[in-house]
């Protein structure tokens, strides 16, 4: 422990080279960690190394270099990111929609039907397209989430103290001990049954703050598509983080 006390502060990352590429690895030292571990986030593409308290940076660097091939493989498997720009295609409630920049003057962002695929039209200066689309998707998510919460509130006889919608990375939804619900706006990209199931799941936590048999019995009683939604999330959930 004396050596750990004498050691200077860790850098926040390491850069390692592999076959002409450079990978940036975020460092997280954890006193409870028993060994070095590497993780590549499917949501952000961030590479994170966790270090035990006594592991030196030299050892960590050697570990990272020895696993550079693994890092390259994991990063190569991540889906290509799709920015919110004119012409980009993104799913809205599971249905592909194309972004169409109508004009540079201000106006509503909305869905329009066309002879081909449906489109999301946006009217603003080009640099603001991404923000306008993001705001539109968050509003749509909040609307659907609020409606589903109201519906399930009637089914279980309880209501949350608050509903928060944001861009969460580790969970699609959560319920606090105080009865506040948190959801990812990205659920609006998935088929409606997925958002509906996530709301049922978190609403059930208002009665059962656990994942016991009673909890799952309640979820199954109020939501008819638990297994279908779980399968969809397992197969496609990580791909929702590629947008924006």
């Amino acid at each position: 422990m004396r050596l750990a006390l004498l050691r200077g502060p860790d850098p926040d990352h390491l850069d390692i080279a592999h076959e002409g590429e450079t990978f940036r690895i975020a460092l997280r030292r954890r006193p409870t960690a028993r060994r070095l571990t590497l993780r590549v986030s499917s949501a952000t593409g961030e590479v994170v190394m966790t270090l035990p308290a006594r592991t030196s940076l030299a050892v960590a660097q050697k570990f990272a270099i020895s696993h550079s091939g693994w890092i390259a493989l994991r990063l190569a498997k991540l889906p290509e990111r799709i920015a919110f720009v004119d012409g980009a295609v993104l799913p809205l409630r599971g249905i592909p929609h194309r972004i169409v920049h109508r004009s540079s003057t201000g106006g509503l962002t909305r869905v329009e039907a066309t002879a081909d695929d449906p489109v999301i039209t946006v009217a603003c200066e080009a640099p603001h397209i991404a923000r306008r689309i993001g705001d539109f998707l968050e509003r749509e998510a909040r609307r659907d989430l609020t409606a589903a919460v109201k519906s399930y509130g009637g089914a279980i006889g309880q209501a949350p103290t608050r509903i928060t919608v944001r861009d969460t990375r580790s969970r699609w939804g959560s319920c606090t001990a105080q009865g506040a619900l948190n959801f990812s706006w990205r659920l609006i990209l998935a088929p409606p049954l997925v958002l509906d199931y996530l709301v049922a799941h978190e609403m059930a936590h208002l009665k059962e703050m656990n994942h016991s048999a009673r909890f799952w019995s309640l979820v199954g009683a109020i939501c008819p598509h638990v297994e279908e939604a779980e399968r969809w999330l397992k197969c496609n959930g990580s791909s929702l983080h590629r947008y924006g």
Side-chain angles (χ1 to χ4, degrees):
M1 190 56 133
R2 181 181 180 85
L3 289 175
L5 291 173
L6 293 174
R7 184 177 53 227
D10 292 333
D12 59 6
H13 68 273
L14 291 175
D15 290 329
I16 62 168
H18 175 78
E19 296 184 354
E21 293 186 274
T22 299
F23 302 137
R24 175 153 294 189
I25 303 174
L27 301 180
R28 305 283 188 271
R29 193 176 291 277
R30 297 285 183 266
T32 56
R34 295 179 176 273
R35 58 190 176 85
L36 285 164
T37 59
L38 276 169
R39 176 177 60 84
V40 178
S41 170
S42 59
T44 64
E46 183 183 34
V47 185
V48 179
M49 180 189 292
T50 301
L51 296 76
R54 292 175 176 269
T55 300
S56 70
L57 286 176
V59 170
Q61 187 168 28
K62 289 180 181 179
F63 181 82
I65 292 172
S66 69
H67 288 79
S68 58
W70 177 86
I71 295 172
L73 184 62
R74 291 298 299 270
L75 290 173
K77 289 183 177 180
L78 294 178
E80 182 182 356
R81 297 198 64 82
I82 297 176
F84 292 155
V85 296
D86 185 35
V89 176
L90 64 140
L92 176 62
R93 300 182 179 91
I95 299 173
H97 286 63
R98 183 166 49 87
I99 297 173
V100 175
H101 185 208
R102 288 292 191 212
S103 70
S104 59
T105 58
L108 294 176
T109 302
R110 61 188 180 185
V111 173
E112 293 183 8
T114 67
D116 301 313
D117 293 331
V119 301
I120 302 174
T121 62
V122 56
C124 63
E125 296 290 343
H128 304 307
I129 292 176
R131 179 177 58 80
R132 286 289 188 92
I133 293 295
D135 290 346
F136 167 77
L137 293 173
E138 186 171 327
R139 286 195 303 271
E140 292 296 295
R142 183 177 294 277
R143 185 174 69 177
D144 285 15
L145 289 163
T146 300
V149 165
K150 183 177 180 180
S151 175
Y152 282 115
I156 69 170
Q158 284 189 239
T161 57
R162 185 176 69 252
I163 302 172
T164 300
V165 180
R166 55 191 176 191
D167 192 9
T168 57
R169 296 292 181 175
S170 59
R171 295 182 181 181
W172 298 115
S174 62
C175 176
T176 71
Q178 293 73 38
L181 301 185
N182 304 292
F183 295 101
S184 169
W185 66 258
R186 294 178 182 274
L187 291 173
I188 199 63
L189 305 176
L193 68 87
V194 175
L195 180 147
D196 186 77
Y197 158 66
L198 261 299
V199 171
H201 185 114
E202 301 309 332
M203 287 293 287
H205 278 313
L206 295 177
K207 281 186 171 292
E208 297 287 341
M209 186 58 79
N210 52 59
H211 287 102
S212 64
R214 286 197 307 180
F215 166 82
W216 287 111
S217 177
L218 175 58
V219 176
I222 62 176
C223 180
H225 36 254
V226 174
E227 292 185 1
E228 185 179 357
E230 286 276 11
R231 283 196 301 271
W232 193 96
L233 283 168
K234 183 177 181 180
C235 295
N236 305 288
S238 62
S239 68
L240 299 184
H241 290 288
R242 70 190 295 204
Y243 298 97

